[in-house]
Amino acid sequence: MRLKKSSPEIADLFIMKYFSFEDGEKIKLFDEIAHHFYDSNFGQMSKADIELMMFHFYIEKMVMDFKDENGVLDYQKCSDYKISKDLGITQQRVRNLKVRNQLVYPIKYDWKAALSQLIKNARYDKDTKKITLNIPDPNLYLEIQNFIEENGAYVEKQLNSKILQLRAEYFIELVLLLEDNESRAKIVKKLRKIFREAGKEDSAFEDSQIGKSLLKAALDITTIAANLSSLISPSNQIGTALLSLLTKNA
C-alpha cells in the first residue's frame, strides 16, 4: 500500500511544536508504517515497537533539522526538556527512548566533533584537578564513556547522569590516543623532557600509562597543556578544545 500524494486526511499529521514534516516526508513515513501493517502482518507489532518507530521518525527529523554544517547537533534546540514537552512524556522516558532508538535505528554522528564543542563549556577545577562537563545526550555519553573505559581510564559516576567528570591527566592521555603515531611520538618525547626537567626519573614515565604517570608525578597540568598545545594536530578537535580549556586556567 502506498500513499500517492498528500491528502486532507493526513494534512495535520506529524506537526510538532519545534518543527514539522514536509508532505514528501509524511508520505515516506506513512509508507513505512503501512509496511508493518499491510503485508500479512497486521497487529504483529507490539505497542512498544510502534512507539519506538514513531519516536525514530521524530528524532531523525530533529537531528536533520538541527545540526550545523559540521554535522554537530545543536543540543539546546533538541533538549530532553523540549522533547518531553512536545511529546507529553517524562525526560527520563525521552532518554530511554533515545538509547533504544540508537540500538534499533542507529543514527550516524561524529561523537568526537560533538565532544569538542561541549568541552568549550566545560569546567576545570584547580583543586581537584578534574574536568567536568555536561553531556546532554545519553548516546553521546555512552560513546565517550566506552572510549574512556576501553583505553584504561574510568568515568566517575555522578548523581546527575548528564555530568561527565574525569581527571585532567587521564583526559590528556585520551587526547594523545586520538593522534597518529608520528604526532603521538613527538608529544611523548616532549613529556619525557618535561619529566626530566622536573627532576623525575625516566622510569616515572610509562608510555602505556600516560595518565597514571602524570598523576603520580604531580606536575602542574596546566603548564603541561601549554607545552603540548603547539604539538596537537589541528584535526584533533578534542585535543585542541581541551588544551585551550586548561591553558586558560594556567
Side-chain angles (χ1 to χ4, degrees), residues 5 24 43 51-52 80 85 87 105 119 167 210-211 235 245:
K5 61 181 180 179
E51 290 178 348
L52 181 61
D80 295 342
K85 294 288 286 184
L87 301 184
Y105 305 103
I119 288 177
R167 286 281 307 208
I210 293 174
S235 59
L245 169 70

Side-chain angles (χ1 to χ4, degrees), residues 171-222:
F171 224 134
I172 285 181
E173 180 175 8
L174 295 172
V175 165
L176 266 60
L177 290 170
L178 298 173
E179 294 285 322
D180 59 42
N181 291 336
E182 182 179 353
S183 178
R184 187 174 185 276
K186 291 179 181 178
I187 296 171
V188 168
K189 183 178 179 180
K190 181 67 174 180
L191 285 172
R192 286 189 176 281
K193 181 180 178 182
I194 293 172
F195 268 58
R196 287 194 297 270
E197 291 175 347
K200 306 295 180 182
E201 298 289 336
D202 286 344
S203 59
F205 185 86
E206 297 182 55
D207 288 9
S208 60
Q209 294 187 325
I210 293 174
K212 188 176 181 180
S213 298
L214 291 170
L215 191 61
K216 285 185 175 181
L219 300 176
D220 181 55
I221 203 68
T222 58

Side-chain angles (χ1 to χ4, degrees), residues 63 67-73 108-110 113:
V63 169
K67 61 183 179 181
D68 63 19
E69 62 275 6
N70 297 315
V72 177
L73 188 62
K108 292 183 179 180
Y109 67 100
D110 187 345

Side-chain angles (χ1 to χ4, degrees), residues 32 58 71 91 100 131 156 168 200:
E32 188 168 341
Y58 177 93
Q91 292 184 53
R100 285 189 60 212
I131 294 172
E156 296 185 17
K200 306 295 180 182

Side-chain angles (χ1 to χ4, degrees), residues 68 70-75 109-121 133-137 139-141 143-144 237-238 241:
D68 63 19
N70 297 315
V72 177
L73 188 62
D74 186 335
Y75 290 104
Y109 67 100
D110 187 345
W111 68 267
K112 296 174 185 176
L115 177 58
S116 69
Q117 292 295 318
L118 294 173
I119 288 177
K120 295 176 182 178
N121 296 317
L133 62 160
N134 179 51
I135 309 295
D137 182 80
N139 292 305
L140 177 58
Y141 188 102
E143 287 285 357
I144 298 168
Q237 298 177 33
I238 294 176

Side-chain angles (χ1 to χ4, degrees), residues 72-89:
V72 177
L73 188 62
D74 186 335
Y75 290 104
Q76 290 186 337
K77 291 183 178 178
C78 49
S79 66
D80 295 342
Y81 173 78
K82 288 183 177 179
I83 294 174
S84 72
K85 294 288 286 184
D86 205 10
L87 301 184
I89 57 178

Side-chain angles (χ1 to χ4, degrees), residues 16-66:
M16 309 301 164
K17 186 178 296 182
Y18 303 106
F19 63 88
S20 61
F21 289 89
E22 301 294 331
D23 285 348
E25 292 173 324
K26 295 176 185 177
I27 293 170
K28 180 181 177 181
L29 298 183
F30 182 83
D31 284 346
E32 188 168 341
I33 295 170
H35 173 71
H36 291 282
F37 285 87
Y38 304 137
D39 189 18
S40 301
N41 56 353
F42 194 89
Q44 293 183 19
M45 205 173 186
S46 68
K47 178 178 180 291
D49 288 340
I50 293 172
E51 290 178 348
L52 181 61
M53 180 175 64
M54 298 303 293
F55 183 80
H56 164 63
F57 296 159
Y58 177 93
I59 201 69
E60 186 176 52
K61 173 64 174 176
M62 184 169 268
V63 169
M64 289 175 60
D65 283 8
F66 297 136

